[in-house]
Amino acid sequence: MQDSTERLVELIKSTSTDLSPDVEQALRDAVAREADDSAAQGALNTIMENVRMSRATARPICQDTGTPIFYVWHPEGFSQRKLAEQIKNALRIATEKAYLRPNAVAALSGQNSGDNSGVDFPTIHFHEWEHDYLKIALMLKGGGCENCGVQYSIPSPELAAGRDLQGVRKAVLTAACQAQGFGCAPGILGVGIGGDRATGVIKAKEQLFRPLTDNNPDPELDAMEKQLHQEINELNIGPMGFGGKTTVLGVKMAELHRLPASFFVSIAYMCWADRRKTMTIKNGNVEITAP
Amino acid sequence: MTTKLTIPISEEQIRGLKIGDQVLLNGVIFTGRDAAHKYMSDNFIKGSCPDAEKEMYEILRNGLAGGVIYHCGPVVRKRDDGKYEFVAAGPTTSIREEPYQADVIGHFGLRAVIGKGGMRDKTLAGCQEHGAVYLHAIGGAATLIAESVKEVLNVHKLDFGVPEAFWEIRVEDFPCVVTMDSHGQSLHDKVRADSERKLQAILAG
């Protein structure tokens, strides 16, 4: 098995410093929507300038370089253990090069490990697939937006939400409203419908890898994604919560099976600094792209 | 309107600011977030300044009077000449400091706090009482803000970790928006009330 450490450092650098084109385009569209000279438009212009500067100077878009979440798809007979070691090494090197902030602290003592290693840190999900090449996706998920993720159990009298898609809609709208002041708007919402308390959240976060411009393969969910995108923007929370027309850049949903007794709606919030990239290593050729 | 502010800032200058005003900040400020606020509260506000912390207390008293605390956990690089350099330095979520902020403003005579997401009633009252404002930086704009950090003068309490230490930095034209002023007005309260009204209308519809 070839050592991929250097390539992984490149993936981390690209993810941390070079915002994907789909997110940048959505932000550019948002600038045009906001009123001229408003605080909202000023915030978006600052964001666009920051994206440009980060790319040009290979510096982190945001100083909170987040939890590194890796998804690995590998061929049969591949050593997960060795790749996990290479990922840990790559994180240490990327931290030394200041592509990442040392971001792993012991839960109780607060002691920072200094190199982005720790107990279950980073997160790595391995999947074997039928192809003969390796694909690694990375998301850097910041703490501000992670803190306003939420999981509702429906039916909920408080949300007036029943156990159906309309109930899910009410939960998502409520979560979007309550996220103001926490995540950095305009954000992206990933929603897991069903599952258990753990799988629902994982599914919600996986939605954040989807390109902003894609369509949900389920027509009913696709329509709801677009409806929620519009309704949340009508809340007028706006960029940075300054008031304005752009509160989210997208809503992405997926359904899981659940127990008869449970109905969770899990919502993951991603800030505008939506850092995720994919690397494929095929016949020795390395390609890093937006997901 | 855009106002240039230079530290130390006078109470009169602060009282002249209103929510929505844009500010360019100049001078020496301190970063401080979760560990720093708990430390100041435990040792100097609730506590009676233990001997071991006297030196740090003097540094903060001198640096924060008429000054500014920035809620920020930066990415920092140590250069070959041994000096530090800010690489990425956007604001962190301020609400976590709500239990401490008003007391820290009052105790040290702060004129402004920079962060993101805004703060609540206790801080707003503290701003009104002591003549201070809450300045909102653009969350995530870490490279751009790091560019406005011209010099890292010192670091205190580095044992808290890089993100949590007190970084003493000189900034030039650091861009912020006043979202809580010294007259009891909060842009966050207005946006929150407006969005909650709209949410209820959508949910009822």
Side-chain angles (χ1 to χ4, degrees):
Chain A
M1 183 178 134
Q2 204 174 4
D3 187 283
S4 297
T5 308
E6 276 181 41
R7 289 153 175 186
L8 285 159
V9 174
E10 281 303 305
L11 174 64
I12 295 164
K13 174 185 174 185
S14 174
T15 308
S16 178
T17 65
D18 181 14
L19 195 69
S20 292
D22 60 335
V23 184
E24 193 172 7
Q25 184 58 48
L27 289 165
R28 194 175 294 123
D29 295 344
V31 174
R33 261 197 310 273
E34 299 295 345
D36 286 343
D37 301 323
S38 59
Q41 195 184 52
L44 288 167
N45 279 328
T46 302
I47 285 169
M48 294 300 289
E49 175 64 7
N50 183 69
V51 167
R52 193 193 60 73
M53 287 169 72
S54 301
R55 182 176 294 131
T57 58
R59 288 157 72 156
I61 296 164
C62 178
Q63 79 290 340
D64 183 354
T65 55
T67 307
I69 304 172
F70 289 89
Y71 278 81
V72 179
W73 292 267
H74 61 80
E76 202 177 325
F78 178 89
S79 170
Q80 297 184 353
R81 178 177 52 82
K82 284 183 186 163
L83 190 75
E85 280 307 310
Q86 291 167 16
I87 286 174
K88 281 180 186 165
N89 264 331
L91 285 169
R92 182 179 49 74
I93 295 166
T95 310
E96 280 168 13
K97 290 177 181 284
Y99 303 142
L100 297 178
R101 182 175 74 180
N103 235 12
V105 301
L108 288 172
S109 71
Q111 182 76 41
N112 195 315
S113 69
D115 62 359
N116 275 301
S117 71
V119 178
D120 283 349
F121 199 108
T123 308
I124 311 175
H125 301 270
F126 285 104
H127 298 283
E128 183 183 309
W129 67 354
E130 68 278 21
H131 302 292
D132 61 357
Y133 64 93
L134 187 65
K135 183 169 98 168
I136 304 172
L138 168 62
M139 177 185 297
L140 297 173
K141 191 161 188 311
C145 67
E146 182 68 1
N147 287 352
C148 56
V150 63
Q151 186 172 62
Y152 295 107
S153 178
I154 56 176
S156 160
E158 196 189 329
L159 305 176
R163 288 183 145 198
D164 53 22
L165 191 54
Q166 284 305 313
V168 172
R169 168 177 163 258
K170 289 177 177 178
V172 174
L173 283 164
T174 303
C177 191
Q178 290 182 350
Q180 60 188 300
F182 296 94
C184 282
I188 299 110
L189 297 182
V191 183
I193 305 168
D196 67 16
R197 286 202 181 272
T199 58
V201 174
I202 290 171
K203 186 64 86 179
K205 286 192 182 176
E206 287 174 353
Q207 299 318 298
L208 301 171
F209 278 109
R210 287 171 49 195
L212 287 179
T213 50
D214 78 349
N215 295 310
N216 196 306
D218 179 326
E220 201 183 10
L221 290 185
D222 191 59
M224 184 51 73
E225 287 180 355
K226 292 176 169 72
Q227 182 184 343
L228 278 167
H229 185 171
Q230 189 183 333
E231 286 180 325
I232 292 167
N233 282 344
E234 285 166 10
L235 295 176
N236 201 35
I237 294 165
M240 290 298 131
F242 291 167
K245 293 176 182 150
T246 317
T247 303
V248 287
L249 301 175
V251 179
K252 303 288 177 186
M253 316 176 91
E255 188 181 358
L256 306 80
H257 279 76
R258 57 177 173 81
L259 295 183
S262 304
F263 195 141
F264 298 113
V265 182
S266 307
I267 298 155
Y269 189 106
M270 177 60 101
C271 55
W272 69 258
D274 179 13
R275 289 153 290 172
R276 74 274 195 272
K277 283 279 172 78
T278 299
M279 175 167 72
T280 52
I281 305 178
K282 200 173 185 175
N283 303 323
N285 296 318
V286 182
E287 196 183 13
I288 297 176
T289 58
Chain B
M1 85 173 196
T2 302
T3 308
K4 274 209 183 209
L5 286 181
T6 301
I7 295 155
I9 308 167
S10 71
E11 178 167 357
E12 191 189 352
Q13 283 174 298
I14 290 297
R15 297 283 179 196
L17 295 171
K18 302 270 189 302
I19 56 170
D21 287 350
Q22 303 194 44
V23 162
L24 293 171
L25 195 65
N26 291 273
V28 176
I29 67 174
F30 286 70
T31 68
R33 44 181 284 171
D34 308 62
H37 280 79
K38 185 172 189 311
Y39 164 81
M40 288 186 285
S41 176
D42 287 353
N43 286 286
F44 310 132
I45 295 168
K46 286 189 205 145
S48 51
C49 191
D51 284 348
E53 305 302 335
K54 282 215 157 64
E55 194 182 333
M56 188 64 209
Y57 186 53
E58 286 309 308
I59 291 167
L60 290 174
R61 267 184 8 126
N62 293 325
L64 298 183
V68 178
I69 279 187
Y70 178 26
H71 299 156
C72 170
V75 177
V76 180
R77 183 191 290 142
K78 195 164 191 175
R79 299 194 314 224
D80 292 340
D81 64 5
K83 283 204 119 187
Y84 290 104
E85 176 182 51
F86 270 32
V87 175
T92 192
T93 305
S94 297
I95 195 66
R96 297 191 305 268
E97 316 320 332
E98 179 70 11
Y100 313 111
Q101 199 67 68
D103 296 334
V104 170
I105 289 170
H107 187 89
F108 290 101
L110 282 175
R111 289 285 172 230
V113 172
I114 313 172
K116 74 174 165 95
M119 303 183 76
R120 298 306 289 259
D121 300 356
K122 190 178 169 195
T123 303
L124 189 60
C127 285
Q128 194 166 11
E129 183 185 347
H130 303 293
V133 289
Y134 178 85
L135 300 173
H136 203 299
I138 304 305
T143 300
L144 186 135
I145 296 170
E147 283 287 307
S148 78
V149 178
K150 297 302 174 191
E151 195 179 356
V152 178
L153 300 168
N154 230 322
V155 57
H156 312 283
K157 297 289 172 190
L158 192 52
D159 53 313
F160 291 171
V162 166
E164 297 283 348
F166 290 95
W167 292 90
E168 189 178 346
I169 54 177
R170 185 171 62 77
V171 300
E172 275 179 27
D173 290 345
F174 181 157
C176 304
V177 176
V178 179
T179 56
M180 293 163 63
D181 65 23
S182 64
H183 308 285
Q185 296 296 305
S186 164
L187 180 62
H188 307 285
D189 288 352
K190 287 182 197 300
V191 171
R192 189 178 297 108
D194 180 43
S195 61
E196 280 169 2
R197 209 165 33 242
K198 289 196 165 79
L199 174 67
Q200 291 313 319
I202 292 174
L203 293 180

